[in-house]
Amino acid sequence: MNPFQSIYELIGEEKISLLVRYFYEEVEKTPQLRKLYPEDLIPAERRLFLFLLQVFGGPTTYSEERGHPRLRMRHFEWQIDPTMRDHWLNAMLTALDRLKPDQQVKELMMGYFIKVANHMINHE
């Protein structure tokens, strides 16, 4: 693995799209998460896909369309406590396991997701 390559360059857009699909399959199976989303998940899937593309070094379409990510602000309407964080993180890490990226890439992505999930807690 070249240390100067982005995750986007290492796994590509198709794998990021697959990760998002796997994640939302887990959301569908997790009532605590599913209740946070509208019936139609397609807009949420697109936003997460564009966000992850950008975060992992790809196109900046997310910011071009929606402005700065401001994750905590955008999620403030939901009470995210450590239990909810765990539901979200379990869904994302299960999706990541299904994706089966190279171990080094997986560890980088896991580190990012754990950091973000912890940062999103807004309620104890």
Side-chain angles (χ1 to χ4, degrees):
M1 184 171 119
N2 179 338
F4 299 107
Q5 281 185 295
S6 66
I7 290 172
Y8 174 80
E9 291 170 314
L10 292 168
I11 68 171
E13 196 165 305
E14 189 175 313
K15 291 253 180 162
I16 293 172
S17 177
L18 200 52
L19 176 69
V20 170
R21 182 173 341 134
Y22 291 158
F23 172 75
Y24 280 101
E25 287 173 7
E26 293 304 312
V27 167
E28 289 280 11
K29 297 181 212 173
T30 311
Q32 299 89 334
L33 287 176
R34 186 60 184 97
K35 71 181 182 181
L36 301 177
Y37 292 90
E39 187 174 327
D40 182 7
L41 290 174
I42 291 172
E45 287 184 37
R46 182 175 185 278
R47 286 189 301 272
L48 180 59
F49 170 66
L50 292 177
F51 175 75
L52 291 179
L53 281 181
Q54 179 171 313
V55 163
F56 292 140
T60 58
T61 309
Y62 180 91
S63 285
E64 291 164 15
E65 289 184 4
R66 297 182 53 83
H68 189 280
R70 301 185 316 260
L71 288 181
R72 277 182 62 94
M73 187 198 81
R74 290 184 193 270
H75 292 83
F76 202 74
E77 68 183 273
W78 298 284
Q79 287 190 356
I80 303 171
D81 61 13
T83 301
M84 188 59 74
R85 181 246 354 245
D86 290 348
H87 289 305
W88 185 91
L89 197 52
N90 288 336
M92 186 55 80
L93 296 181
T94 298
L96 190 56
D97 283 343
R98 287 181 63 194
L99 190 66
K100 297 178 175 69
D102 172 83
Q103 187 61 33
Q104 288 178 303
V105 172
K106 182 178 180 179
E107 288 174 14
L108 288 171
M109 294 174 82
M110 283 175 56
Y112 173 76
F113 291 133
I114 290 167
K115 182 176 115 185
V116 167
N118 287 330
H119 177 69
M120 296 303 288
I121 293 174
N122 62 21
H123 191 266
E124 293 300 320

